[in-house]
């Protein structure tokens, strides 16, 4: 049985009554919306005395920013000596002159973050446009133990090993070391007129493996471009190696759902694209009922927050060394549930979008970077198109009318 569910613009308006005209003539503060995210994936050795200049790519803009710093996976208190933000100049570690700002924590220039927790800066007055690169520089004066980080950034960031006083440098000359990881920073919110955000929740397929580094061609980045006319943020909560049912690379999807998705600013929709690592991992999970229960749990927890959920079918991986006919049978049964089990508010059929019609167990060669599992830039665009249609009910790259509807299966409330 199906029912009509409003497309994203109308859905966002329904869930964001604060954006409607106020009943009284008092000014209404602009809301905070998530503009960029990365999910902690593990820990690396601390960088005492260093300043890390993380490069992050915003989805939507605003008139102020605030930054989330994480010690979620650390084991000792994290001392933050200085944190700055600035618009990035060109392609390196230089800041656009006049845009560098010092972030504070309850008015102080630094703070200590207990293990297992995050810290959020005070609002930083800085106008940032959509699709801007932001420099988030973090100086750690001492050894705070294992550093919470995101391993596979697909983005070059920069490091000044002698970092004292360097967080405030507009010139990036001191940042002579490059890294492909994001250290400590896990989110940037913007204050502005954005209509809310969409969280892309998944594994390496969402994290961006297979796409061209330093080009922002992961499928969530492409989705942000397609949703630009809706002023909707897109947050990438993908973790390479992550699993739906058990901890592995980072906490399981079920364990990290709140911190990486539901608790983020302005979330209105959740896109779930996770499960292939459970099928191909060790120990493998071969009972489709376990996946169904996990998806229902994710949806129920999101619905309890007023967040709608799009399920994404698991994509082919024939030709990968871990593939087997038995594991393929599990994938097909899990996909049958995603499509027809009634758990999700909408379904994005990425499997149908990227498979080879001549061999449906494999990716279309034009989308395969060579490992038969991930997507190249063209494949990422195809997934983004599919998710965009599921969210809006319109063709990729178009903005549906305000009164548009999409027809999807009724959501299970189990």
């Amino acid at each position: 049985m199906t029912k009509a569910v409003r497309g994203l613009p109308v859905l966002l308006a329904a869930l964001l009554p604060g954006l409607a005209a106020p009943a009284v003539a008092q000014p209404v503060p602009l809301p905070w919306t998530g503009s960029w995210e990365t999910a902690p994936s593990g820990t690396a050795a601390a960088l005492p005395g260093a300043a890390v200049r993380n490069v992050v790519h915003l989805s939507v803009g605003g008139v102020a920013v605030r930054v989330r710093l994480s010690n979620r996976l650390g084991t000792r208190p994290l001392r933050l000596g200085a944190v700055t933000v600035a618009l990035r100049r060109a392609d390196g570690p230089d800041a656009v002159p006049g845009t560098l700002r010092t972030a504070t924590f309850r008015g102080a220039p630094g703070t200590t973050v207990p293990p297992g927790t995050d810290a959020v800066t005070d609002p930083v007055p800085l106008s940032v446009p959509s699709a801007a690169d932001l420099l988030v520089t973090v100086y750690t004066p001492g050894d705070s133990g294992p550093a919470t980080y995101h391993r596979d950034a697909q983005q070059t960031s920069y490091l000044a090993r002698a970092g004292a006083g360097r967080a405030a440098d507009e010139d990036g000359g001191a940042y002579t070391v490059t890294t492909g990881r994001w250290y400590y920073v896990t989110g940037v919110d913007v204050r502005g007129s954005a209509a809310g955000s969409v969280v892309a929740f998944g594994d390496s397929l969402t994290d961006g493996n297979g796409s061209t580094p330093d080009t922002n061609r992961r499928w969530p980045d492409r989705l942000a471009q397609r949703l630009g006319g809706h002023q909707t943020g897109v947050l990438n909560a993908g973790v390479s190696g992550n699993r739906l049912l058990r901890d592995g690379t980072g906490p399981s999807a079920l364990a990290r759902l709140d911190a990486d998705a539901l608790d983020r600013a302005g979330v209105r929709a959740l896109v779930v694209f996770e499960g292939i690592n459970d099928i191909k991992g060790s120990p493998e999970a071969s009972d489709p009922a376990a996946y169904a229960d996990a998806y229902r749990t994710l949806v129920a927890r999101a619905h309890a927050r007023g967040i709608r959920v799009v399920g994404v079918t698991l994509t082919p991986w024939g030709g990968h060394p871990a593939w087997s006919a038995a594991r393929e049978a599990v994938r097909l049964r899990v996909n049958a549930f995603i499509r027809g089990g009634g758990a999700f508010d909408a379904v994005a059929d990425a499997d149908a979008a990227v498979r080879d019609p001549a061999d449906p167990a494999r990716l279309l060669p034009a989308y395969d970077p060579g490992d038969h599992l991930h997507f190249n830039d063209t494949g990422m665009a195809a997934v983004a198109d599919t998710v965009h249609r599921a969210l809006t009910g319109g063709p990729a790259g178009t903005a549906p009318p305000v009164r548009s509807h999409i027809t999807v299966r009724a959501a299970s409330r189990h």
Side-chain angles (χ1 to χ4, degrees):
M1 184 175 181
T2 62
K3 69 175 182 179
V5 176
R6 288 172 290 186
L8 186 62
V10 178
L11 177 61
L12 289 178
L15 293 176
L16 275 173
L19 292 184
V24 293
Q26 295 178 351
V28 177
L30 292 170
W32 287 102
T33 298
S35 183
W36 175 86
E37 176 191 351
T38 194
S41 68
T43 59
L47 301 169
V52 181
R53 182 152 282 184
N54 298 281
V55 178
V56 307
H57 187 70
L58 304 181
S59 54
V60 290
V63 298
V65 301
R66 65 185 183 189
V67 180
R68 180 183 297 264
L69 290 308
S70 183
N71 192 25
R72 194 190 313 168
L73 304 180
T75 57
R76 292 161 53 186
L78 167 64
R79 174 62 184 165
L80 299 175
V83 176
T84 63
V85 296
L87 289 171
R88 185 191 192 193
R89 182 180 182 183
D91 295 329
D94 295 341
V96 173
T99 67
L100 193 139
R101 305 283 189 273
T102 297
T104 59
F105 303 83
R106 296 185 178 180
T111 192
T112 298
V113 187
T117 67
D118 294 351
V120 179
T121 69
D122 300 330
V124 179
L126 176 65
S127 291
V128 294
S130 298
D133 281 350
L134 194 71
L135 304 177
V136 180
T137 305
V138 181
Y139 167 59
T140 50
D143 186 348
S144 296
T148 296
Y149 81 136
H150 185 91
R151 184 187 64 198
D152 295 322
Q154 312 300 321
Q155 172 66 60
T156 301
S157 291
Y158 302 90
L159 175 69
R161 292 203 178 276
R166 294 300 185 181
D169 287 358
E170 287 186 344
D171 182 278
Y175 293 85
T176 57
V177 179
T178 60
T179 178
R181 302 167 171 179
W182 284 308
Y183 281 87
Y184 302 115
V185 59
T186 62
V188 177
D189 301 334
V190 298
R191 173 172 275 165
S193 58
S197 59
V198 175
V199 176
F201 193 69
D203 49 38
S204 59
L205 301 175
T206 298
D207 206 1
N209 291 30
S211 66
T212 303
D214 295 318
T215 61
N216 301 304
R217 294 178 182 170
R218 313 163 192 86
W219 74 257
D221 297 312
R222 297 297 186 93
L223 178 64
Q225 295 169 4
R226 286 149 177 74
L227 291 174
H230 305 303
Q231 275 295 293
T232 302
V234 177
L235 306 181
N236 189 333
V239 173
S240 297
N242 199 231
R243 298 179 68 158
L244 178 68
L245 303 173
R246 64 168 61 230
D247 294 346
T249 302
S252 72
L254 290 169
R256 69 187 183 93
L257 178 66
D258 285 359
D260 289 341
L262 306 186
D263 290 345
R264 298 289 169 148
V267 177
R268 301 295 174 256
L270 174 69
V271 181
V272 178
F273 187 13
E274 187 140 23
I276 201 67
N277 287 325
D278 298 83
I279 295 174
K280 75 180 188 65
S282 179
E284 64 185 88
S286 58
D287 181 6
Y291 295 81
D293 288 344
Y295 291 137
R296 289 193 185 102
T297 298
L298 291 173
V299 171
R301 288 167 61 185
H303 281 173
R305 303 279 195 99
I307 297 168
R308 296 295 183 258
V309 188
V310 175
V312 183
T313 52
L314 304 184
T315 47
W317 56 298
H320 187 277
W323 186 91
S324 70
R327 290 175 169 178
E328 174 68 2
V330 175
R331 183 182 76 89
L332 294 177
R333 291 181 65 189
V334 171
N335 278 351
F337 173 80
I338 294 172
R339 292 187 183 103
F344 297 99
D345 297 294
V347 172
D349 199 345
D351 173 35
V354 303
R355 67 191 178 206
D356 185 348
D359 188 353
R362 288 177 175 260
L363 291 173
L364 193 70
Y367 297 157
D368 188 346
D371 66 3
H372 312 304
L373 173 65
H374 298 100
F375 316 123
N376 60 20
D377 294 347
T378 307
M380 290 286 180
V383 174
D385 287 343
T386 303
V387 174
H388 179 269
R389 287 192 294 270
L391 284 168
T392 66
T398 67
V402 173
R403 296 294 181 184
S404 68
H405 289 68
I406 56 175
T407 300
V408 297
R409 297 176 180 87
S412 170
R413 302 291 174 166
H414 300 320

